[in-house]
Amino acid sequence: MLICDDNILIITINNIKIEVKVTFNVLRNLYNFLQDDISRELDVSSPFDLLEKLNEDNKYRAALLYCMSNGRIPYYDIKEHLKELPEIYFKLIETSVLNSLIYIDKNEEKHEGKEESQDFEEYFNFLYCSAITMLHFTKEQFYETTPRELKALLNAYKLNQKNILLTAYIEVMKSLNKPTTKKEEVIKAQDANDFFNLI
């Protein structure tokens, strides 16, 4: 999937269109939603946990769609609406969510025994700081970006910086290994007549 591809899955509930795409704004909304009393029926502690349980129950899907709608549609209305949808919609929702989140770096080295579990706050804060400092994103640009897009942009930025450093290194090494010019031979003239004869 291309980094600039737009997500085309749109669900309409109560005449409000919800684009099924996980941006950092949606992740922030999920984090805040899970701190609220309404989320007590959900057996999750972080947005990562909620996204992993999307296939288990409509309450997790309803929570995600509620956060995607920025709370414009009541959580319980979304939950009721999901009961009427055929199973294929849930597969499409899951696919859209995965496409928004997963970026596969083909150049990334595989590390044996690498710890994959990461705290949501660390993940979010790290990517926010990276977007602001390296890519010079505004806060609004960051919130409208999906994790997949941001990871691809950061990877391209790192690759570009690496190429700049390699080019500089090659130029320095070329100049250090360049053959030195021959030393000019000093000829001593005995007197002024010898000097003018050499010219």
Side-chain angles (χ1 to χ4, degrees), residues 69-176:
S69 72
N70 289 320
R72 293 179 295 163
I73 306 168
Y75 169 71
Y76 295 106
D77 286 359
I78 296 172
K79 204 167 154 184
E80 287 301 314
H81 183 78
L82 290 177
K83 290 177 183 176
E84 302 167 8
L85 293 178
E87 189 64 32
I88 189 70
Y89 277 97
F90 303 137
K91 293 291 182 194
L92 291 172
I93 290 170
E94 186 180 345
T95 302
S96 293
V97 167
L98 287 176
N99 285 338
S100 298
L101 293 173
I102 297 177
Y103 171 73
I104 298 170
D105 183 4
K106 294 174 184 164
N107 300 322
E108 189 175 36
E109 296 177 12
K110 303 284 184 210
H111 297 290
E112 293 298 321
K114 184 180 174 185
E115 186 72 27
E116 288 298 326
S117 66
Q118 191 175 23
D119 181 56
F120 175 76
E121 290 178 2
E122 289 177 16
Y123 167 84
F124 192 90
N125 292 338
F126 173 76
L127 289 177
Y128 175 73
C129 290
S130 298
I132 298 295
T133 56
M134 287 192 254
L135 302 175
H136 306 290
F137 274 24
T138 64
K139 197 173 189 178
E140 291 75 26
Q141 287 174 313
F142 170 74
Y143 281 136
E144 293 306 313
T145 307
T146 67
R148 178 183 60 85
E149 292 168 341
L150 185 60
K151 288 176 187 174
L153 290 170
L154 287 171
N155 186 51
Y157 175 82
K158 289 176 188 174
L159 187 61
N160 184 40
Q161 295 301 315
K162 183 177 170 183
N163 288 340
I164 290 170
L165 290 173
L166 284 174
T167 304
Y169 176 77
I170 289 169
E171 292 300 317
V172 168
M173 293 309 290
K174 277 184 185 177
S175 68
L176 289 176

Side-chain angles (χ1 to χ4, degrees), residues 181-189 195 198:
T181 57
K182 291 182 181 178
K183 289 185 178 179
E184 293 185 18
E185 194 175 316
V186 178
I187 302 174
K188 294 183 179 179
F195 177 73
L198 291 173

Side-chain angles (χ1 to χ4, degrees), residues 9-33:
L9 181 60
I10 296 174
I11 297 176
T12 305
I13 302 172
N14 294 352
N15 295 323
I16 297 175
K17 294 183 179 187
I18 303 171
E19 185 177 10
V20 180
K21 179 166 92 170
V22 179
T23 63
F24 283 100
N25 186 49
V26 171
L27 290 174
R28 178 186 62 170
N29 289 346
L30 274 173
Y31 179 77
N32 292 330
F33 176 77

